[in-house]
Amino acid sequence: MLAMAVSTRARADTAAAPTSPAAPQQFARLGDLRLESGAVIHDCQLGYRTLGTLNAARDNAILVPTWHTGTSGQLLEVLGPQGLFDPAPYFVILVDALGNGVSCSPSNSASQHGKAFPAFTIRDMVASQHRLLTEQLGLHHLRAVVGYSMGGMQTLQWTVSHPRFMDAAVAIAATPRLSSYDLLFWRTAEQAIVTDAAFAGGDYQRNPPLPLFQMVFALNATSPDFRQHKTTPAEFDKFLRETVAPDPEAPDANDNLAQIRALLSQDIGAGPGGPPGLEQAATRVRARVHLINARQDQLVNPRAAQTLAPMLHARLTLLDSECGHFAIQCDMASIRAAVEMALKPEVGSVPEAISKPRSAGIAVTPK
């Protein structure tokens, strides 16, 4: 989920990213954005990039939301013929989620700066993206929504908030709701930020390095086996120094915290006027859903996705490598094959509401 940005440190620790295509940063002015809480983000701009051309039938558009603290520019790094999917046949919209430092965020708001920025949710992210598509780009249907980590959480929320808007949804390393283990990890990460003296209650003058947060994140980003194979005890002190060293590319701490709090409350079976529980949420879904999870993911536990899959008649791909949440860096070929399969048009209509659970199709990719 989150884990966020596939950072420069993470890339150095795992495999190289594919070559990225080029697309300029753009912004959609949404004005005042009313949130589900009733609060308002003033003068909200949503960042996005586009790749390719919308075809005459207007049926080749794919939305890709960002992961936690990720940017649309970083999404470019994981697309291409050797990336998550080849964007060439599609009109791809890469959208900067609320609070990522590019779209309206605590760090860039003039009137609601820092801790004064209103709390938002994953559902608010999806609502802002819906406005971008319908009001700014004139799109009212998508071939698919594809997301990784927190982008996958947004993808799953899309299927419930706007069930007929897309033909397919591909959620990678994501969950429909946080498990108790996820809550424990992200509450710990939250505390590692707010209790840091340099964070200064959100009133810092310089972005704090947050060494404890970096350690907590590194602890769960991959599996124990991965860390032991990658770092010998003799190399550990060097690894730790590099992990906690100030990173000029690190996301703003208030932005980081705001997005953590958004994902902490996420549950596709909850929300104002929403259905109570996964089973009821599943009855709203009309898209074909493909879930891709890693068994050893310690940032986003895969069990809730496995529970949801049969409710949706969804295909489930389980990755069995030791790379954990960063399977996107270690198992890209397996993930790409699953995504490309999901993007193929299906003969017949999209699924109607699911009345009874049944077994999902499960593909297990070994080490």
Side-chain angles (χ1 to χ4, degrees):
M1 157 167 115
L2 319 169
M4 334 296 243
V6 181
S7 67
T8 53
R9 288 174 183 162
R11 285 198 295 269
D13 216 21
T14 55
T19 302
S20 59
Q25 180 75 60
Q26 300 182 68
F27 291 92
R29 290 186 173 274
L30 302 183
D32 284 353
L33 178 66
R34 184 167 296 278
L35 306 174
E36 66 175 6
S37 66
V40 175
I41 298 175
H42 300 306
D43 191 25
C44 182
Q45 294 190 84
L46 209 63
Y48 69 100
R49 300 169 191 260
T50 64
L51 292 167
T53 303
L54 189 65
N55 63 15
R58 301 176 67 83
D59 63 358
N60 68 329
I62 296 177
L63 178 71
V64 186
T66 51
W67 49 72
H68 169 241
T69 73
T71 67
S72 58
Q74 289 170 329
L75 283 177
L76 286 173
E77 299 178 18
V78 297
L79 293 185
Q82 302 304 312
L84 288 178
F85 64 90
D86 184 355
Y90 307 109
F91 177 61
V92 182
I93 306 105
L94 311 174
V95 61
D96 292 282
L98 296 178
N100 78 334
V102 177
S103 289
C104 48
S105 305
S107 65
N108 61 23
S109 174
S111 61
Q112 299 165 297
H113 191 76
K115 64 184 183 182
F117 199 80
F120 53 86
T121 66
I122 299 293
R123 288 180 292 277
D124 290 322
M125 293 177 183
V126 169
S128 69
Q129 294 159 19
H130 185 265
R131 286 189 57 186
L132 164 69
L133 295 178
T134 58
E135 298 174 14
Q136 302 289 327
L137 300 181
L139 290 172
H140 298 275
H141 195 76
L142 295 167
R143 167 71 66 86
V145 183
V146 179
Y148 170 76
S149 192
M150 194 183 75
M153 294 176 69
Q154 293 165 75
T155 298
L156 292 174
Q157 188 61 53
W158 261 99
T159 68
V160 176
S161 294
H162 304 285
R164 296 189 183 277
F165 207 94
M166 76 296 296
D167 295 329
V170 187
I172 309 162
T175 183
R177 64 183 179 198
L178 270 64
S179 69
S180 58
Y181 185 87
D182 297 327
L183 291 168
L184 176 61
F185 170 75
W186 288 104
R187 289 294 184 195
T188 303
E190 177 188 35
Q191 286 300 302
I193 294 175
V194 301
T195 60
D196 191 299
F199 181 69
D203 291 326
Y204 49 86
Q205 297 302 308
R206 177 181 296 179
N207 195 33
L210 304 175
L212 181 58
F213 172 82
Q214 299 299 344
M215 291 173 66
V216 168
F217 186 80
L219 181 66
N220 282 50
T222 55
S223 72
D225 285 343
F226 178 89
R227 180 50 51 211
Q228 291 181 87
H229 291 161
K230 190 72 176 179
T231 308
T232 68
E235 297 168 328
F236 177 76
D237 286 343
K238 179 177 182 290
F239 162 75
L240 185 59
R241 286 194 302 271
E242 293 173 347
T243 297
V244 303
D247 182 358
E249 297 183 12
D252 177 82
N254 278 319
D255 293 349
N256 189 349
L257 183 61
Q259 288 201 335
I260 286 175
R261 288 174 170 169
L263 66 90
L264 273 167
S265 66
Q266 176 59 4
D267 183 344
I268 65 168
L278 286 185
E279 289 190 2
Q280 287 300 313
T283 66
R284 291 180 54 81
V285 177
R286 300 296 186 271
R288 291 180 287 108
V289 177
H290 194 136
L291 303 168
I292 304 170
N293 289 86
R295 290 188 189 275
Q296 296 192 62
D297 192 334
Q298 297 188 93
L299 285 179
V300 183
N301 188 280
R303 186 163 297 180
Q306 291 175 259
T307 298
L308 179 65
M311 298 179 189
L312 300 179
H313 296 206
R315 185 173 181 83
L316 174 64
T317 297
L318 291 175
L319 304 171
D320 236 350
S321 80
E322 62 187 25
C323 297
H325 193 73
F326 279 97
I328 193 173
Q329 290 295 313
C330 304
D331 299 294
M332 183 66 90
S334 299
I335 295 173
R336 180 172 62 253
V339 173
E340 294 282 9
M341 177 190 301
L343 293 180
K344 292 179 179 178
E346 187 175 65
V347 177
S349 60
V350 297
E352 288 301 314
I354 307 303
S355 59
K356 295 181 180 180
R358 70 172 182 176
S359 298
I362 300 178
V364 178
T365 302
K367 295 180 183 179

